[in-house]
Amino acid sequence: MPDPFRSIRTQQGKVGWKACEYTTARRLCLEGPGPRSYNARMSLLKSASTVSMLTLASRIAGLVRELLIAAAFGASANTDAFNVAFRIPNLLRRLFAEGAFSQAFVPILAESRTRNGETATHDLVNAVGTVLFGVLTIVCLIGIVAAPAFVWVMASGLKESGGFDAAVVMTRWMFPYIGFMSLVALSAGILNTWSRFAVPAVTPVLLNLSMIGAALFVAPWFREHGIEPIYALAVGVMVGGVLQLAVQVPALLRIGMVPRVGVTLAAWRRARAHPGVGRILRQMAPAVLGVSVAQLSLLVNTQIASHLGAGAVSWLTYADRLMEFPTAMLGVALGVVLLPQLSRAQAGGDTTRFSELLDWGLRLVVLLALPCAVALLVFATPLVAVLYHYGRFTPHDVHQTVVALSCYGVGLMGLIGVKVLAPGFYATQDIRTPVRIGITVLVITQVFNVIFVPFLGHAGLALSIGLGSLVNATWLMFGLRKAGRYHPAPGWALFTVRVVIAASVLGVGLWMASHHIDWIGLREHKLIRVGAMAGCLAGAAIVYFGTLAATGLDLKKAVRR
């Protein structure tokens, strides 16, 4: 029988294995269709699980951080000022670092490693690091000088509530944070491309621990010395940024990919002339526009919230912190793992694997995000009361945070789905399509704001974001199908019915628990309240997965598929 892969093997000495490293042909040549395919799926699942668990640790630390801030400062003009000040460098970080930069950098880096080898790839890393360092230095200096303008654009309503001046001070303290985090994004892109997911996933824990230490120890010291205690959180942010960058270095040393950054103008010009840098910058142009859409929506919402009275920005922030648990554990984890894998499949021309990766990610979204969305809708009061209702955080604050969290929950499936679907475009270096979709979704979201905010206040902002995310995810999925990059595997209909049945049973149980226990009245009985919530959530998980099993869903097969 003729060997269909003979020509590939006979050319091994001429072209080397790198040319077909990620193609289906080479995988079949080496190991056959079964073991390699199974091992690849299990390796991907293990990577996603690792990122998810480490992200969970980060989110738990972040929740402790928010709990301490809520108890110490409540929801006031000062907490609004900090949240706005912290949001400004975070906005730019997502715009230029973790957002547009990563979307443009990771696919080109993966392609360079696959086709050109590690020496040429290290040259690319050095050039990118040099250009990035020079740009960041200028941006940070501009940000420190122009802090009042940034705060006014983000939240001019703070002038009315009295938090404007404090926000300007903290913005100046924290603006260099974008510099550290952009270099962290560079390091994380390298490590993720080399399938070293653990270090980038665990680094956010350091920021949260630093801010926890600032709230516990620096804030009281500031208070004793007549300094506004909220400023301690800005100190914690900066220390956390330094720690996050420092912890990347040993991991980069182990793979021999520490960027050699030039600090002179001549070095910057040489780096800028590198062809890979030019490609990344060209890819970043539409990517910046695409990420700008989401960040512009955040800016508009923050501006509106700042005019809704003291506490509105903080209520949305506390609700968003709880939303980050499912979005980060599932959405971010899958996005981080899928982008380099999809980029490799694209570079190798393996369209079948490309579609399989997307299908695997979407099934996990439905399996795990739908019950989380139901829980946020019907169990929001226990979550907020148990986690935040201490110290200066009043029952009124609980109620306002609950309505925001419930409205966010409406769009949880969309928020997580976008994290899986967008890499399907970025991996093919098609950034323009998500940009066009995002611009339209931004307009739709603002229409939702006009409809909902007059009636729901700050919760209307959360609902608009959620509904906009659902529109975005749906549009991205149809775009991938239309382009022929995603073909749903068989069995989706029965799978979806089983998950919906299980999620409905879970929702009924949590709704009963939410309305039959006085969660706010148990404030003085902390252990009882915490134990009751833990028991309800554990019971809900057992009910959900038990119902899935009763409907005939093989969970292991569904996850490994």
Side-chain angles (χ1 to χ4, degrees), residues 117-309:
E118 298 203 0
T119 301
T121 302
H122 201 176
D123 291 339
L124 172 62
V125 168
N126 294 337
V128 171
T130 298
V131 172
L132 187 63
F133 182 81
V135 172
L136 290 173
T137 301
I138 296 172
V139 168
C140 290
L141 290 174
I142 293 173
I144 292 171
V145 174
F150 278 106
V151 174
W152 187 87
V153 170
M154 176 70 78
S156 61
L158 290 181
K159 282 185 171 292
E160 303 166 11
S161 63
F164 188 87
D165 292 339
V168 170
V169 172
M170 288 186 282
T171 298
R172 284 180 166 146
W173 268 94
M174 292 188 287
F175 212 94
Y177 177 73
I178 184 183
F180 291 110
M181 294 313 300
S182 297
L183 295 175
V184 167
L186 170 67
S187 303
I190 298 168
L191 293 171
N192 288 336
T193 302
W194 264 254
S195 297
R196 304 296 198 274
F197 299 107
V199 171
V202 79
T203 48
V205 174
L206 298 175
L207 171 66
N208 293 322
L209 292 178
S210 176
M211 293 182 68
I212 289 170
L216 289 176
F217 305 110
V218 181
W221 189 88
F222 275 15
R223 186 176 289 110
E224 290 175 3
H225 291 77
I227 304 172
E228 172 55 53
I230 198 76
Y231 293 166
L233 298 179
V235 175
V237 169
M238 283 305 300
V239 173
V242 174
L243 293 176
Q244 287 182 90
L245 180 58
V247 78
Q248 308 282 323
V249 176
L252 291 171
L253 283 171
R254 283 193 290 271
I255 63 172
M257 280 289 155
V258 176
R260 292 191 290 270
V261 176
V263 296
T264 64
L265 183 59
W268 193 91
R269 287 173 176 168
R270 286 194 300 271
R272 176 64 185 84
H274 191 288
V277 172
R279 286 186 62 200
I280 291 171
L281 291 175
R282 286 191 295 273
Q283 287 294 101
M284 275 189 70
V288 166
L289 181 58
V291 179
S292 296
V293 172
Q295 299 311 309
L296 180 58
S297 179
L298 175 64
L299 188 152
V300 171
N301 285 357
T302 303
Q303 184 66 258
I304 295 172
S306 72
H307 290 276
L308 295 177

